[in-house]
Amino acid sequence: MYLDSRALDAAGVENKVLRESYEFCRRLLITMDGRSLWAANLLFPPHKRPHVCAVYGLARYADQIVDSGDPRHRAEEFETWAARLLADLRSGVGGDPIGRALGHTMRTWGIALTDIENFLDGLRTDLIVSEYPTYADLDRYLDLVNGSLARLILPIMEPVDPRAEQHTVATSKAAQLTNFIRDIGKDHRRLGRCYLPLEDLERFGVPRSDLGERSTSPALRELVRFQIARAREMWALGAAGVDYLPPSSRPASRLATALYSGILDEIERRDHEVLDTRARVSTRRKAALVLREYLPAPRPLAA
């Protein structure tokens, strides 16, 4: 039984194996810390929802390989999977659920294989790079990973103005930068990575070793405050382009922005403490944001 069978029907997905592949991507999105993305996805028209799940299913699964498992075998596992996925997409014969769903989505919406290759190249960086000397270096990473991801989603959103790409890319990069800010301690302790530019650590007098502590120092709080301001500028750029999307795509874009940028509000509410807890938007707040976008605006009272 498919939990989103109406969306699969609306998308014209009749083949049983293909329906199961889309359902695999949907479940992957929900179970791998993607509930905010899933909530935003519900605001797309039903015929678009499975395709959005296919793209983000790719992102979640690939990210899981890069970030989990035995560090000695991550690179080999990633390269084996990525090579098989690209071969399937080039041949048009999907060998696993993600390949089948993603291949169908690419054909449906005219998504370029180059953007998938670029996305995988960006994730490959995480296997060999653990720090970024400057913000320019980090921004190149963000553009390769999150810029490519935005370009995969953009055809499904059906922009009405070519300027939508710049703003959609900004939104995707802002979401990743927000995650980096929230997960400073986790990334350092579990993966040995530092996504904050080293030039910024030096500017605020924060030794990299401080990222492994259990409480946030005053200097690190100032650094976090600085990074939040940078992320908010990126969120603002993304939000400025919502009118370049059709009305059917705007609620999902606005909700994704509200849910993810809300993480920054939570960090500020905790006085920029990012090492001892992981900031999350509360379920009540998420529900309120979903209802705000889902319910029609009240009509003004007649005079």
Side-chain angles (χ1 to χ4, degrees):
M1 176 66 180
Y2 307 107
L3 299 184
D4 204 7
S5 58
R6 188 170 73 93
L8 291 168
D9 292 341
V13 181
E14 299 178 354
N15 179 274
K16 181 177 183 295
V17 175
L18 186 56
R19 288 172 75 91
E20 291 172 347
S21 298
Y22 275 114
E23 175 65 6
F24 176 86
C25 293
R26 190 193 71 85
R27 290 181 180 273
L28 191 64
L29 184 60
I30 295 175
T31 57
M32 292 178 63
D33 202 24
R35 290 179 179 85
S36 292
L37 285 173
W38 173 244
N41 190 33
L42 291 175
L43 297 186
F44 279 112
H47 73 281
K48 293 186 177 185
R49 294 174 196 163
H51 300 293
V52 174
C53 285
V55 173
Y56 280 112
L58 162 74
R60 292 286 170 178
Y61 191 81
D63 194 57
Q64 181 186 38
I65 296 176
V66 170
D67 289 348
S68 304
D70 189 334
R72 296 172 298 177
H73 304 301
R74 283 178 195 160
E76 181 181 358
E77 183 181 356
F78 177 81
E79 296 299 345
T80 299
W81 173 78
R84 185 173 63 246
L85 174 70
L86 291 174
D88 290 344
L89 294 177
R90 292 188 183 104
S91 68
V93 180
D96 66 13
I98 293 175
R100 283 191 292 268
L102 188 62
H104 181 257
T105 291
M106 290 173 64
R107 293 188 294 273
T108 301
W109 295 99
I111 293 172
L113 181 65
T114 302
D115 288 322
I116 294 176
E117 292 172 330
N118 289 339
F119 171 74
L120 295 175
D121 282 343
L123 281 187
R124 188 175 282 112
T125 302
D126 282 334
L127 296 168
I128 56 177
V129 175
S130 62
E131 60 186 27
Y132 294 86
T134 68
Y135 178 70
D137 296 320
L138 177 63
D139 191 56
R140 281 190 288 271
Y141 167 87
L142 291 173
D143 194 63
L144 194 57
V145 176
N146 298 91
S148 298
L149 188 59
R151 295 178 188 102
L152 292 174
I153 288 291
L154 196 59
I156 304 172
M157 300 178 80
E158 297 184 292
V160 297
D161 189 299
R163 289 175 290 181
E165 179 176 338
Q166 174 191 5
H167 297 278
T168 304
V169 167
T171 296
S172 184
K173 290 166 68 172
Q176 185 67 284
L177 184 56
T178 296
N179 281 334
F180 287 161
I181 295 169
R182 173 176 64 176
D183 294 337
I184 290 171
K186 175 185 171 184
D187 288 335
H188 177 83
R189 289 190 296 268
R190 188 167 68 89
L191 301 170
R193 298 182 196 149
C194 175
Y195 290 103
L196 301 186
L198 297 184
E199 64 181 4
D200 293 341
L201 268 71
E202 182 177 358
R203 172 182 174 182
F204 286 89
V206 178
R208 183 170 171 178
S209 58
D210 279 9
L211 306 185
E213 299 295 333
R214 291 296 173 179
S215 62
T216 304
S217 67
L220 180 53
R221 290 175 197 269
E222 290 301 313
L223 173 57
V224 169
R225 185 177 285 110
F226 174 78
Q227 300 298 335
I228 286 177
R230 174 178 276 163
R232 288 199 188 283
E233 289 181 4
M234 206 174 290
W235 279 119
L237 175 60
V242 70
D243 288 341
Y244 301 142
L245 301 173
S248 62
S249 293
R250 291 173 191 170
S253 178
R254 288 194 297 262
L255 179 58
T257 293
L259 289 173
Y260 270 91
S261 64
I263 294 171
L264 301 178
D265 297 333
E266 288 300 307
I267 294 173
E268 290 175 328
R269 188 178 66 81
R270 298 164 187 252
D271 190 24
H272 306 88
E273 174 59 68
V274 292
L275 298 184
D276 70 338
T277 56
R278 192 169 189 256
R280 296 178 183 275
V281 177
S282 69
T283 301
R284 178 179 296 182
R285 176 62 178 157
K286 286 181 180 179
L289 291 170
V290 170
L291 288 175
R292 185 183 71 182
E293 293 297 339
Y294 186 78
L295 296 178
R299 294 181 179 180
L301 296 175

